[in-house]
Structure formats: C-alpha cells, structure tokens
Amino acid sequence: MRKKGYSSEYYENALAEGNRVALARAITAVESNRADATSVFRAINGKLSGAHVIGITGAPGAGKSTLVNSYVTELRKRGHKVGVIAIDPSSPFSGGAILGDRIRMSEHGADDGVFVRSLAARGHLGGLSKATAHVVDIMDAAGMDVVIIETVGTGQSEVEIMEIADTVIVVSAPGLGDEIQAVKAGILEIADIMVVNKADMPHVDSTYRQLKDAISFGPVRAWKVPIVKTISTTGDGFEELADISDAHFETLDEAERENAAINRMRKVITTTATNFLKVWLKSVSEQKINQLSEQVLRGDLGLEQASRMAANLAVDAGEINTKNQRN
C-alpha cells in the first residue's frame, strides 16, 4: 500500500458500496493510527445513518461470545446487517487481539450481512479498546443496521460501554455469583436489559430472583429493566431479547439518537488527548519530574498543583516535538 494510504474518496465510495475489504482497511487505519486515518474520518463525516449500537458485557464465564453468536443469527433472520466488535484480551507478545471471539463466531464468516472485527484491549481500562468508538461509526457509515460491542468481560471495569452503546445488555449465568458481582462492580446500574444465559443449567430461577431483587433496589428509571432467559446453544430466548432490545431503542428520543455520534466522538477526543499527554509526558526530563516529586514530598507543593505543572510541561514538550517534526 502507498505510504500515505488511501484517499477519503476511496473510503467514501467503497464504504457506501458495502465493500468489506475497504471496511477492514478503514478500521485498521484508525486502530493503528495510520496516515490515512484522517481520510477515513473525512469519508464518514455526515454519512452516519444511526445504527443501533448494542453493548454486551458481564463477567467471564457468562457465555457472552456464544450469546452474541446466537443473537446475530436472530438479527439476520430479521434482515438486519450486523457489525460485531469483539474486544479481546491482548497478546503479551504482539499486543494484538487473541481472536477467540472471532473463532467462536466463524459460522457467520461467509455471510455478507455480518462483519466481525476483533480489537485488542491493549491494557485500555473499561473493557474496551480505545478505537472502539471510531469503529462503531465506521461500521455505521458502511451500512450496518446494528453494531454489537462485546467487552472483554473483566466484571469490574465495564461501565465505559454505557458511553458508547444505545442499549446495554448485562449477561449473567446461573451459579457463578454474577448477580452479586454485578452489584459490586456497579454494572447492574448501567443495564438496560439483564440476561440470564445458560438458562438450561441448575439454579437459573435463583439467579433470576436475585437479579430481580437487585434491580428493585437500583435507581428509579422510566425504563423498567427486564430480565431475559436465554440458551445460546438452542437459540431459546433470542427472539424475545431482540424484541426487547428494539423496544428499548424506540424509547430513545430523536435528540438522543442524533447526539450518539457526538457522544462517541467526545469520548474518542478525550481518550486521545489523554494518550497524547502520556506520550508527551515521557518527553519531559526525568530531572524536572523528580524535582516536582521532591517538592510534594517536602510539603512545599500540593499534589494537584504538581500534577498541573507536569501536564503543562508535557504540553510544552509536545509542541516542541511537533515543531521539530514539521521542520
């Protein structure tokens, strides 16, 4: 590929045609922060159609990947084009996604109406990849009706998904104590739909009751959080899940839907700004940071003030580096 990458005209035309190769290239450009990432953003500007973004989260062992696989099958029966963003743990060697979820959803690989992409978490907190919000919009511009995001599933740091998804589905399984874990992690409060997966296992009714009690003690909302029982291996419950998910999406007013892309971009900008600050901070001499540290330890400087000074030093270093690169 050319050094500068593909043009915005290429991406605009190819994505409008549903070109899967172009879709893969666009996602790679953004995830890897390649030179043509800017071309991708220009290409999708004004091309978003408002896909229904569904976040699926929950503790490990709840069967999220098999649930997504069966959920996609139900959505395809309804004629929806579906994009799946599977956030996988990172390889300790390459930093790339392990691709476990992509393997489990291989049955949809030959379906042109489904596009599955694994993204590496790469240590990013919140159960997501820092490129997730970008990829949602790229899939939207490529004509996907529904975009599903499956988080890593740490069970403790999944609440970031609510800033990106229109509908958040929290998955539990009988006998794993997920309902208690959900309350501890605070993800129960972000759920628009609760799912008890593996509903053919023992203790499903007990798990259902505990989740129902937990929801009753949660915050008062206009939308009453339902609990759906599913069996991913047989497809039981997925018609009901899709119906309820559609119903929740319909409750969002026009302004909320229009602001969805802005909210996602706001998240991207703040995350990117934070990453820039981290990189620039490495350019600040160790001596200057040590001086600030010593002043804090002596009590001559407050922690907040020292942090602000370090941030200012980082920005200054970033501006110097940028000027040097231009010259």
Side-chain angles (χ1 to χ4, degrees), residues 2 6 70 85 111 127 131 158 180 219 225 232 237 255 277 286 306 309:
R2 294 165 300 168
Y6 294 87
S70 296
I85 303 171
D111 186 349
E158 306 294 291
I180 305 302
V225 179
S232 298
L277 199 59
E286 186 175 340
M309 292 172 70

Side-chain angles (χ1 to χ4, degrees), residues 64-223:
K64 294 189 299 297
S65 296
T66 51
L67 181 139
V68 170
N69 190 54
S70 296
Y71 193 15
V72 170
T73 299
E74 176 60 33
L75 293 173
R76 290 298 291 141
K77 289 178 183 177
R78 300 179 181 216
H80 295 311
K81 288 185 177 180
V82 185
V84 178
I85 303 171
I87 312 298
D88 277 342
S90 305
S91 165
F93 303 104
S94 68
I98 298 295
L99 304 182
D101 293 323
R102 202 166 178 180
I103 294 170
R104 286 188 285 273
M105 284 182 265
S106 58
E107 67 179 78
H108 297 294
D111 186 349
D112 288 338
V114 179
F115 187 89
V116 180
R117 179 63 177 243
S118 293
L119 298 180
R122 293 177 182 168
H124 185 68
L125 297 178
L128 302 178
S129 161
K130 66 180 181 180
T132 304
H134 283 320
V135 178
V136 168
D137 287 341
I138 294 170
M139 287 188 172
D140 185 348
M144 299 300 169
D145 302 305
V146 179
V147 178
I148 297 174
I149 306 168
E150 181 197 342
T151 71
V152 170
T154 62
Q156 289 291 342
S157 57
E158 306 294 291
V159 294
E160 187 178 346
I161 189 66
M162 70 181 296
E163 298 178 0
I164 296 179
D166 300 309
T167 302
V168 177
I169 299 174
V170 177
V171 185
S172 300
L176 296 182
D178 287 357
E179 59 280 359
I180 305 302
Q181 182 80 340
V183 173
K184 282 183 179 179
I187 62 173
L188 188 63
E189 286 81 357
I190 70 165
D192 298 306
I193 303 170
M194 288 295 308
V195 169
V196 181
N197 196 29
K198 305 181 183 180
D200 52 343
M201 293 177 60
H203 312 299
V204 62
D205 291 331
S206 173
T207 299
Y208 183 94
R209 285 193 302 271
Q210 290 185 58
L211 286 173
K212 189 173 182 179
D213 289 343
I215 290 171
S216 67
F217 289 108
V220 177
R221 299 167 56 182
W223 170 261

Side-chain angles (χ1 to χ4, degrees), residues 274-292:
T274 302
N275 291 334
F276 268 126
L277 199 59
K278 288 179 180 178
V279 172
W280 292 341
L281 196 55
K282 292 178 181 178
S283 300
V284 178
S285 71
E286 186 175 340
Q287 181 183 2
K288 290 182 179 179
I289 300 299
N290 285 344
Q291 287 174 350
L292 290 175

